[in-house]
């Protein structure tokens, strides 16, 4: 029996789950269910990434311990797992003991190989990515190429991994394993990145407390990506005594076995370069495939907390049902590319595919069959007809599409079968035959064909819509959902089985009404409302600028000396150099965020932030309406 191990990225706990996050888990769940039905030995893992600077900062901002923040977010993931019917076999948290053991073990092996050394590290660091970037990779004004937020200059003594030594082995691996990165375009991206030259990678942080202590190096914490990536094997028991799952789903590596990491395209480099290099160094097998999908967009931008355009799954689930959300996600995105979410697009798909194509076909057939055959499925089956021919053609397409992770193509094939069945019904007009002929054999065959097509579609839908597909099957006289795809052969619909009274499975939604009712909530969704107490956590004060000078080698940064009525003035670095001359600022009063954590900008400490209105990125400073004593509170 082939083993099939599928993983999602482990999610950061500084953000509540949004549609982009549950997408990958929905995909993994669908694949896991598909492979279980196909008879494979499946293990499906998801979890949370709980260490690192990001989480540490987010927790500090909320005034809670990092683990409290993590527990809270994890409980939201658990709630969504139940709502969306995710069938994961395990949920790994990087704060668990078993995970720490796995990380220690992999580091031990990498060290044994001689691939670690200590050196000073300097570079531009994006905290949300937990990644260093070279000057050349940065966006305008030294911003992160992924988040477009300012990066920070970091300099510290670190432990390095000899990544450069793996440049050629990685290139050789891509050459001999073209399926290692999918889709193929992503493999090309990875290959050119590696070909352009790999530099050794810092795998520890000295300034971070919230993480796993680096074994044998007091004061150093394991770099969060080395920590996080190891989840894929620590969850299987690597590094712990009970390594049975690890043996079966990772180490064995038989010919037909699969170790598949599903990821978003933003974390490709970590999975397709760093992770295989760590594994090669540790002498461990590599995943068979790293499959990168695109992003969900909304209003033309990547859905993310920082952009404020996220869709929380709960609202959609409340209104349309969990399986409709799953269907939309899997049908709308061509896996590998990007896709857009809009309320309108969602309702259109729901009404046309689910309410109309599937829901109406089921209720029409059930109603006709009940009335003609005494509340039962038709007594006579049929083996030679155009619907069967369509099923024989389309079902192999579903399997082929699933092998390519082309979920939308698989669903399209199922819907084509529905369409063929509908065309057939329109041509044979059973609704007329019921009246003219009563329960004839011809009518029995026609309705049986239609219902059999629905049975096949619903069976094919089991991995996609695990709750609704069995409901559809029950509605057409198949009360227990099959446990294997053997039932995908033509001819399985029982004759004379009881048909329950049809209930609408997908009630039609009035688009206009829905969008109107939604207007109000949408406003609120994009701006997060905060309490007055939360607002007062920010200490705003008026300061008087005593001195100002440009930061050398920077066009934008100005170093200000600002009197905030404290014992000594503050040094504040502001990005206002394109709009203001330093000499014009002296003597001016400005609004300052006074309780901001100090940060370094181009190596200069900034002890606060001056407030400015921003017009297309051009700052316009805020001043009090009249002169006030330095240090006056703003509220
Ligand atoms: N913790 C790391 C992953 C470590 S895996 C060893 C991380 N976490 S994340 O929470 O920021 O992102 C998790 C996944 O969600 C990523 O694959 C990312 O691509 C995905 N998505 C986040 N926003 C998304 C969209 N708008 N659309 C699709 N997926 C996106 O990265």
């Amino acid at each position: 029996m082939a083993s099939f191990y599928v993983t999602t990225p482990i999610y950061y706990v500084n953000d509540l789950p949004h549609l982009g996050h549950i997408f990958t888990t929905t995909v993994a769940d669908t694949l896991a269910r598909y492979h279980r039905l196909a008879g494979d030995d499946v293990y499906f893992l998801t979890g949370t990434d709980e260490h690192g600077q990001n989480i540490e900062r987010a927790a500090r901002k909320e005034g809670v311990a990092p683990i409290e923040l993590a527990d809270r977010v994890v409980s939201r993931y658990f709630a969504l797992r139940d709502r969306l019917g995710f069938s994961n076999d395990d949920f790994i948290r990087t704060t668990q003991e078993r995970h720490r053991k796995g990380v220690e073990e992999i580091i031990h092996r990498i060290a044994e190989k001689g691939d670690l050394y200590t050196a000073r590290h300097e570079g531009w660091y994006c905290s949300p990515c937990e990644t260093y970037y070279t000057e050349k990779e940065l966006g305008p004004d030294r911003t992160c190429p992924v988040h477009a937020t300012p990066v920070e200059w970091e300099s510290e003594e670190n432990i390095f991994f000899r990544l450069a030594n793996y440049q050629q082995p990685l290139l050789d691996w891509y050459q001999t394993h073209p399926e290692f990165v999918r889709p193929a375009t992503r493999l090309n991206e990875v290959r050119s990145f590696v070909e352009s030259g790999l530099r050794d990678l810092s795998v520890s942080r000295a300034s971070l407390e919230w993480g796993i202590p680096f074994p044998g190096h007091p004061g150093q914490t394991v770099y969060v990506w080395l920590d996080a990536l190891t989840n894929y094997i620590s969850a299987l028991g690597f590094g712990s005594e009970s390594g049975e799952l690890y043996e079966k789903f990772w180490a064995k590596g038989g010919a037909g076995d699969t170790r598949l990491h599903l990821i978003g395209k933003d974390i490709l480099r970590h999975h397709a370069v760093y992770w295989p290099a760590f594994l090669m160094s540790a002498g461990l097998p590599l995943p068979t495939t790293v499959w990168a999908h695109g992003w969900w967009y909304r209003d033309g931008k990547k859905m993310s907390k920082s952009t404020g355009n996220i869709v929380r799954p709960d609202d959609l689930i409340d209104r349309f049902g969990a399986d409709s959300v799953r269907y939309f996600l899997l049908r709308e995105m061509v896996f590998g590319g990007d896709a857009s979410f809009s309320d309108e697009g969602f309702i259109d798909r729901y009404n046309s595919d689910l309410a109309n194509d599937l829901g109406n076909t089921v209720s029409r057939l059930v109603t006709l069959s009940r009335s003609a055959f005494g509340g039962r499925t038709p007594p006579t089956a049929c083996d030679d007809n155009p619907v069967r021919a369509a099923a024989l053609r389309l079902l192999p397409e579903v399997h082929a599409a699933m092998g390519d992770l082309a979920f939308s193509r698989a669903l399209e094939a199922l819907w084509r079968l529905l369409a063929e069945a509908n065309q057939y019904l329109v041509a044979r007009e059973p609704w007329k035959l019921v009246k003219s002929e009563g329960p004839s054999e011809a009518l029995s065959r026609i309705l049986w064909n239609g219902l059999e097509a629905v049975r096949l579609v619903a069976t094919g839908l089991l991995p996609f819509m695990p709750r609704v597909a069995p409901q559809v099957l029950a509605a057409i006289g198949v009360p227990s959902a099959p446990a294997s795809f053997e039932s995908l052969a033509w001819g399985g619909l029982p004759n004379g089985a009881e048909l329950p009274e049809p209930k609408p499975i997908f009630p039609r939604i009035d688009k206009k009404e829905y969008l109107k009712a939604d207007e109000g909530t949408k406003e609120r969704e994009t701006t997060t409302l905060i309490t007055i107490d939360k607002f007062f956590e920010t200490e705003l004060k008026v300061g008087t600028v005593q001195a100002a000078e440009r930061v050398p080698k920077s066009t934008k940064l100005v170093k200000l000396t600002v009197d905030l009525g404290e014992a000594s003035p503050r040094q504040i670095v502001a990005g206002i150099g394109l709009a203001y001359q330093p000499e014009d600022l002296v003597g001016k009063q400005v609004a300052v965020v006074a309780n901001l954590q100090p940060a370094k900008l181009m190596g200069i400490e900034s002890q606060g932030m001056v407030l400015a209105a921003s017009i297309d990125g051009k700052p316009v400073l805020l001043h009090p309406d009249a002169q006030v004593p330095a240090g006056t509170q703003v509220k």
Side-chain angles (χ1 to χ4, degrees), residues 1-3 39-42 252 257:
M1 198 195 269
S3 75
D40 293 333
D41 199 354
V42 172
K252 179 164 67 86
D257 294 338

Side-chain angles (χ1 to χ4, degrees), residues 174 180-193 263-266 268-269 272 290-295 336-338:
Y174 305 147
F180 181 66
V181 178
R182 303 280 305 264
T185 46
R186 301 273 173 230
L187 177 63
N188 294 338
E189 262 172 46
V190 169
R191 193 186 279 126
S192 2
F193 171 72
I263 59 161
K265 62 183 178 183
D266 47 328
L268 181 61
R269 187 183 301 179
V290 172
W291 207 309
H293 63 70
W295 286 336
D338 297 322

Side-chain angles (χ1 to χ4, degrees), residues 439-507:
S440 66
E441 190 176 321
L443 178 67
S444 176
R445 287 176 190 275
I446 296 168
L447 292 181
W448 189 89
N449 281 332
L451 286 164
E452 174 63 357
V454 169
R455 186 189 71 82
L456 293 172
V457 171
T459 307
L461 271 181
L462 283 168
F464 298 86
M465 306 180 86
R467 292 199 184 113
V468 164
Q471 278 173 28
V472 173
L473 288 169
I476 59 164
V478 184
S480 51
S484 104
F485 273 147
E486 274 156 32
S487 57
L488 263 182
W490 182 263
L493 186 82
N495 298 114
E498 202 178 318
L499 282 175
E501 192 168 334
K503 283 189 262 163
I505 303 176
F506 304 105

